[in-house]
Structures are given as structure tokens and as C-alpha cells.
Amino acid sequence: MGALERGHARFVGPKTVECNGKTYTAPHILIACGGAPLVPDIPGKEFAVTSDDFFNSLEALPKKAAVVGAGYIAVELAQVLAGMGVDTTIIIRHEDVLRRMDVSLQAGLKAALQHSGVKIQTNTSVRAINKADDGSFTLDGGDAGPLPGFDYVLYAVGRGPLSKSLNLEVTGVETDGRGRVPSNEFEETNVKGIYSLGDINGKIELTPVAIKAGRTLADRVFGGAENAERTSREGKMDYINVPTVVFSHPPVATVGYSEREAAEKFENVRVYEASFVGMYYAPLEPEDKVRTLMKIIVSGDDERVRGIHMMGNACDEMMQGFGVAVKMGATKRDIDSVVAIHPTSAEELVTMRTSRPAKL
């Protein structure tokens, strides 16, 4: 019979967990405690806030905000702040945001950020946060120089695993240099009967991935392999071709390999792409129209679809269905065989006819 215990748990033995003064033993123990926002150890780090603070304790809008980071959360919150009228600057270490995504999405999102009023400070590593007598903050941007006048500094540079307080030493469970708990394809750690999934194992740090992995593990361990295979392949989480969305404005959606990744891994890689203004923006003035980007990456003589990347209105909704197609091994011919739904932006994905060689 299951029970819920709210508290901070830690191991006190190889297969024993203590929480709120009670001890629990079990043949199967899952470590899925996730991670927490990181703030680097720099002078003035106590002046920085994180996404947790943004959602839980921000009671008044700042006048001028700095968002440090280039990932999902940094991009999303920068646009939220700018959309509410805050003078917002996103500060990134390199030239582009979302550097693990396809280059077309990076360029498109950079333009969308600027269109929404977000200033972009590139090639800047913040070395310190200094508080002035008037209460404002100046960021030491190193070679980029000082960045003054902020009254809100939000860090969104990633998350760190919450494993230090678990007392894993008594279990023999191994961790990596960052404190993550590695697990194999079946989410098993190096200790039999102890599992790890979600942000804590560092595979793909997305909430739906953790949910899917957790359900698959539970089905396999407690429902049998046959039950698990109904919702997964071989009774294990498949981390290949995971669709994901950045809820920017407009949203970004992606599944599979980027153009560069595909060119490095496969032979005869070609790219189908389109850029257009969707009908959603038709009544607007030219300066208010946002371009939609769509890209299909294929390889081989059969043109197996290796990646689909989109930025535009409603592409987050489109991607769930196209993610199924990519997961099933669709070819470009399969995509082309579908009748277009007109007038929609999605019809562009099934009507692309010209391609170019992929670029490294």
C-alpha cells in the first residue's frame, strides 16, 4: 500500500532511506529529486535571483532587468519581462542563444527577441555583481566592460543536481563530477535496485522526459515488460528524437538532429526549408510581422527524416504530431503524401519541394 511522506530524505544504509525520523527499506528505490537553479560563485552572487524567485517572490515589476543565460528559461523570462514593459537585456557568453539547437532557430529567435524589445548583450561573461549607493546593480562584463543601472538581475544559466544531501556514500551509488547520478538505458545505477531518472541523471533535462521515463520504469518493474512495451520500445525510455518546445514569442519547436549534427552523422544529408509570414500576422503593419521558419532535414536515397525545426505561431502544437512521424521513421515521401490543410502554416511542411545540401 502506497503512502506519501513530505520531507527531506537521505540514505542511512545501502537500501534504507530516512525521512522525518522514519526509516523505509525497499528492494526498489528511485532517485528522482531533480535539480535547482544555479548561480555561479562570483562576487555579488547574493544580489542575483533565479526563476524560482521570479515565480515565488517577485511582487513588483523592476524597471531595468538583466537576464543572464542563453537557454530555454532565460529566453522565455526575458520576453515575459519585456512584454510587461521592463527594460530587459539578455546577457549571453557567445554570439547566439540556444546554442544546442539548429542554427536557423538560433538566428530566428535572436531576431524575435529583438523584435519583442529585448536587448542582447553578446560575448559577455559576468564576473561580478556590484551594488551602487542608489541600490542599482552594475555587472562586471569583463572585456565587454561594465553594464550599469539594473535593479533586477536574474540568472538562468542552468540547473544543478540535488544530490549532495542524499548521503549516497552509504549506498555505493556513483556520481559524476557535477553530482549527477548516472544511469543506464534502463535507468539503473551501478547499484542493483537503485534507479535514477529525470534531471538528476543528466540525460535530457525536461519535465515530460522525466514523466515518461518514470512511467516506463514503473510499468517495467511493477507491471512487467509486456505492459512497459505498450508505451515504450523494449520496455525502456527512448531518448532519441524527443520533441521539445521553447515557449518564446513566437514559440520554437524542434525534434531530431540539427543540420550540423545530421551532416556529421549521416550520408547525403539535404535540407528543405521555408521562411514566410503566416496569415495570423496579415492585418499587422510590416514592422509587426514575425516570420515563420520551417526546416526538414533528411538523409539517404530514401530521404529519411532526421530532424524537423520550426519557429512561428502555433508550431508548438504542430510539433506533437510531426514528432510522432519522426519517431516512426517517416521519409520525405511520407510527409509529402499528406494532403495540405489550407490555409495553415503547417501545410508548408507537406508542400516543400526544393532542397539544398546540408552545411557543417
Side-chain angles (χ1 to χ4, degrees):
M1 182 176 178
L4 173 64
E5 184 78 40
R6 298 185 183 275
H8 293 278
R10 68 187 187 99
F11 285 92
V12 292
K15 284 291 184 69
T16 304
V17 175
E18 182 272 329
C19 183
N20 296 332
K22 304 174 185 177
T23 57
Y24 302 87
T25 60
H28 303 286
I29 298 177
L30 172 62
I31 301 171
C33 52
L38 291 173
V39 176
D41 189 15
I42 60 173
K45 67 179 183 179
E46 65 273 16
F47 302 129
V49 300
T50 67
S51 56
D52 286 356
D53 304 305
F54 176 88
F55 289 110
N56 296 327
S57 60
L58 180 61
E59 297 183 355
L61 282 178
K63 294 181 179 179
K64 185 176 182 182
V67 178
V68 183
Y72 288 58
I73 295 174
V75 167
E76 292 168 352
L77 294 188
Q79 285 193 312
V80 168
L81 287 165
M84 293 190 292
V86 178
D87 182 354
T88 305
T89 300
I90 188 169
I91 301 170
I92 59 180
R93 290 187 300 162
H94 301 280
E95 190 64 32
D96 294 299
V97 295
L98 298 171
R99 293 178 60 242
R100 293 183 181 180
M101 288 195 174
D102 189 88
V103 291
S104 296
L105 298 183
Q106 293 175 20
L109 188 50
K110 192 174 181 180
L113 282 167
Q114 293 169 323
H115 184 269
S116 62
V118 177
K119 302 180 180 71
I120 304 176
Q121 176 72 35
T122 62
N123 301 306
T124 301
S125 295
V126 177
R127 298 180 179 178
I129 305 171
N130 301 305
K131 188 172 185 178
D133 292 339
D134 63 359
S136 66
F137 303 110
T138 296
L139 278 57
D140 179 355
D143 294 339
L147 306 171
F150 296 101
D151 59 336
Y152 193 71
V153 180
L154 188 151
Y155 261 78
V157 294
R159 300 173 67 84
L162 292 170
S163 62
K164 289 184 178 180
S165 63
L166 296 181
N167 197 31
L168 291 173
E169 296 81 2
V170 302
T171 67
V173 171
E174 295 176 352
T175 60
D176 66 11
R178 291 184 55 190
R180 294 177 298 197
V181 183
S183 59
N184 64 15
E185 59 186 344
F186 292 101
E187 318 302 352
E188 299 165 329
T189 69
N190 63 300
V191 175
K192 184 176 177 59
I194 299 182
Y195 310 87
S196 167
L197 60 80
D199 286 10
I200 195 75
N201 70 13
K203 291 180 181 178
I204 299 180
E205 297 180 10
L206 296 171
T207 300
V209 171
I211 293 171
K212 178 69 172 175
R215 287 176 173 169
T216 302
L217 175 65
D219 285 344
R220 187 180 72 250
V221 173
F222 300 108
E226 181 181 348
N227 186 41
E229 287 176 3
R230 293 175 184 169
T231 55
S232 62
R233 296 178 179 178
E234 301 176 359
K236 60 185 179 182
M237 171 68 186
D238 186 357
Y239 288 92
I240 303 299
N241 293 328
V242 173
T244 183
V245 167
V246 181
F247 289 101
S248 50
H249 299 280
V252 165
T254 179
V255 65
Y257 294 88
S258 69
E259 180 176 347
R260 177 174 296 176
E261 290 170 340
E264 291 174 344
K265 187 175 179 64
F266 304 106
E267 298 292 331
N268 189 21
V269 177
R270 299 193 66 82
V271 176
Y272 294 82
E273 57 192 341
S275 175
F276 57 95
V277 175
M279 291 184 67
Y280 177 85
Y281 299 101
L284 305 183
E285 296 298 325
E287 63 271 15
D288 295 323
K289 293 181 178 180
V290 178
R291 298 195 70 80
T292 294
L293 306 175
M294 291 187 174
K295 190 173 189 177
I296 300 177
I297 299 165
V298 302
S299 73
D301 294 337
D302 63 346
E303 292 197 316
R304 168 82 174 267
V305 178
R306 300 297 183 180
I308 296 179
H309 311 285
M310 297 183 278
M311 187 187 81
N313 186 49
C315 74
D316 45 345
E317 298 287 352
M318 299 178 209
M319 182 53 75
Q320 190 70 77
F322 281 98
V324 173
V326 174
K327 198 79 169 179
M328 294 178 68
T331 64
K332 184 63 168 60
R333 178 173 291 184
D334 294 325
I335 300 294
D336 292 345
S337 71
V338 179
V339 174
I341 302 172
H342 181 77
T344 66
S345 292
E347 68 180 300
E348 195 73 24
L349 285 168
V350 301
T351 57
M352 294 182 186
R353 295 294 181 266
T354 59
S355 64
R356 61 167 175 82
K359 301 175 183 177
L360 283 170

